[in-house]
Amino acid sequence: MTDQTTINEASATPLSNSRKVYIKTYGCQMNVYDSTRMSDALARDGYEPTSDPEDADLVLLNTCHIREKAADKVYSELGRLRDMKKRKAGEGRDVVIGVAGCVAQAEGEEILRRSPAVDVVIGPQTYHRLPEALRKARQGERIVDTDYAIEDKFEHLPAAEPTKIRARGVTAFLTVQEGCDKFCTFCVVPYTRGSEVSRPVHQIVAEAEQLVAAGVREITLLGQNVNAWHGTGPKGEAWSLGDLLYRLADVPGLARLRYTTSHPRDMDDRLIAAHGELRALMPYLHLPVQAGADRVLKAMNRRHTADEYLRLIERIREARPDIAMAGDFIVGFPGETDQEFEDTMRLVEEVRYAQAYSFKYSTRPGTPGADLKDQVPEEKKAERLDRLQALLLKQTREFNESCVGKKIDLLLEKPGRMPGQIIGRSPWLQSVNVDAKASQIGEIIKVRITGIGTNSLFAEPLGA
């Protein structure tokens, strides 16, 4: 998944005499989805969300381990929470502290050893057991549950209440696949999320229908390797992600579909065809390549070449000419030479990305990359990252400028900063500011793009 650090702090009007939970979410979109499902599971035990940790009976950190020093950030946050817990205890109020997600999976018992204030450590595959872990914690036990659950956690999670779904907005994430079997040498995901597992079709369709019935108009399917999803169709036939998208496009009321994050090796013909044939599938594809030099790609265990990636982009654009491409890049992988970095720059120039995420290589303990020799000096990595990001930002700006004057369908999503302004979502995942009424949120209207800002576009509505 894209390492796009977010903070997702649930807020709602609490019930009287109920316990309150504050969830802080780090990392990718899947962690945001997981936090939502944990909140749903906790609701059965009377926990209502709060946006203020000082008001919480339970503080839960849903962590990410994809970048360097991720665990250090968690321990720093736990130090602050320790002080708060001690202060609250002096006021006669017990606060339970939990750590969930990928740092929890990677660190396990070490978190309890280093942070005595922590009561519960729970991994990403066992968070459906969180309510039971909390009951034990309330009785004085300190719980670590990071086993890869044999049972299907999605079967054990409760359905969210329609009112809560509506409160979260008109767009939603839906996890369809978890784990990774690719074992890229720089990545911890196979060790924290486990092997690739696909949710069954009936579960996915049922959750999508539930979301749409509560007012969701756009769903983004999630997975560490989402296009590795596979399942069984109604006649017992093997389905790939393309088949699933065709099925979801038939859900009444579902206007838009997206998916992330993909691996180039899993972009099959059916999925490419879906981009050309499904009106609901938005013309935006996040397809990470990581580097543009074949030797580096081999050292990363990506199992594709730069040319194979470029030819794949050509096929996708033939199917959907207006598609916007997004990507991920790592600079300074061990042994990367100046010439190999230039190969990455040339690939970026050829693809022309609408959006991309780029990072300096950081060693992740336990991964094969951590043992590689010839580490690139930090100052060299920083210099390369500056050059790459400047090019990627230039391409994003040029893509946004190319949208000015276009007439597009805009999904109205949430109130803007200015009175009478609504923020919408373009087919290419851009934020667009337009004058509209709050009562129109959830509608898809025709607009003309009139200008670009630092992080968003501006538009004028067309017609009634």
Side-chain angles (χ1 to χ4, degrees), residues 226-243:
V226 67
N227 55 343
W229 180 91
H230 60 278
T232 303
K235 299 179 182 179
E237 71 275 33
W239 273 17
S240 66
L241 182 64
D243 298 296

Side-chain angles (χ1 to χ4, degrees), residues 296-455:
V296 175
L297 289 169
K298 185 175 182 180
M300 289 178 167
N301 196 35
R302 293 292 291 174
R303 289 181 279 180
H304 62 77
T305 66
D307 185 69
E308 287 169 344
Y309 179 83
L310 291 170
R311 302 293 78 78
L312 178 59
I313 298 293
E314 286 181 0
R315 291 181 58 206
I316 295 166
R317 283 179 166 155
E318 285 174 3
R320 187 69 189 259
D322 66 336
I323 199 163
M325 296 303 305
D328 288 352
F329 294 90
I330 295 172
V331 302
F333 190 78
E336 182 188 63
T337 65
D338 289 341
Q339 181 56 56
E340 287 168 337
F341 172 70
E342 295 301 333
D343 291 340
T344 296
M345 296 289 280
R346 275 195 293 273
L347 182 143
V348 172
E349 289 278 16
E350 185 163 348
V351 173
R352 306 203 64 79
Y353 290 91
Q355 186 179 16
Y357 307 95
S358 52
F359 311 94
K360 292 185 294 184
Y361 171 75
S362 61
T363 56
R364 310 308 298 127
T367 63
D371 298 326
L372 293 176
K373 308 300 181 185
D374 199 14
Q375 297 286 331
V376 177
E378 281 298 316
E379 60 272 18
K380 177 69 74 172
K381 287 193 284 189
E383 175 190 336
R384 290 175 182 173
L385 184 64
D386 286 345
R387 283 189 57 202
L388 176 60
Q389 289 184 338
L391 176 58
L392 292 170
L393 287 171
K394 175 175 176 286
Q395 291 188 352
T396 296
R397 185 171 59 251
E398 289 172 349
F399 179 79
N400 289 340
E401 289 172 347
S402 73
C403 294
V404 175
K406 285 184 178 179
K407 299 176 182 179
I408 68 167
D409 291 328
L410 184 68
L411 172 60
L412 300 180
E413 191 173 3
K414 57 187 177 182
R417 291 185 178 181
M418 305 298 292
Q421 186 182 76
I422 299 296
I423 297 174
R425 183 177 295 199
S426 81
W428 304 289
L429 206 57
Q430 301 141 308
S431 290
V432 181
N433 301 285
V434 66
D435 290 337
K437 299 176 182 178
S439 60
Q440 292 178 275
I441 289 175
E443 294 181 13
I444 296 175
I445 65 171
K446 185 75 72 175
V447 302
R448 179 187 291 108
I449 304 299
T450 58
I452 66 171
T454 304
N455 299 306

Side-chain angles (χ1 to χ4, degrees), residues 140-197:
E141 292 186 52
R142 300 182 77 204
I143 305 299
V144 175
D145 189 353
T146 55
D147 292 337
Y148 290 108
I150 297 174
E151 72 272 26
D152 182 359
K153 71 180 180 186
F154 294 102
E155 288 283 6
H156 291 77
L157 287 169
E161 298 175 8
T163 53
K164 290 189 175 181
I165 296 174
R166 282 193 290 272
R168 291 167 186 159
V170 297
T171 64
F173 294 132
L174 199 171
T175 292
V176 300
Q177 180 272 341
E178 288 199 21
C180 182
D181 294 341
K182 301 298 188 291
F183 287 94
C184 297
T185 55
F186 54 81
C187 187
V188 297
V189 167
Y191 312 102
T192 57
R193 288 279 182 170
S195 59
E196 291 177 357
V197 176

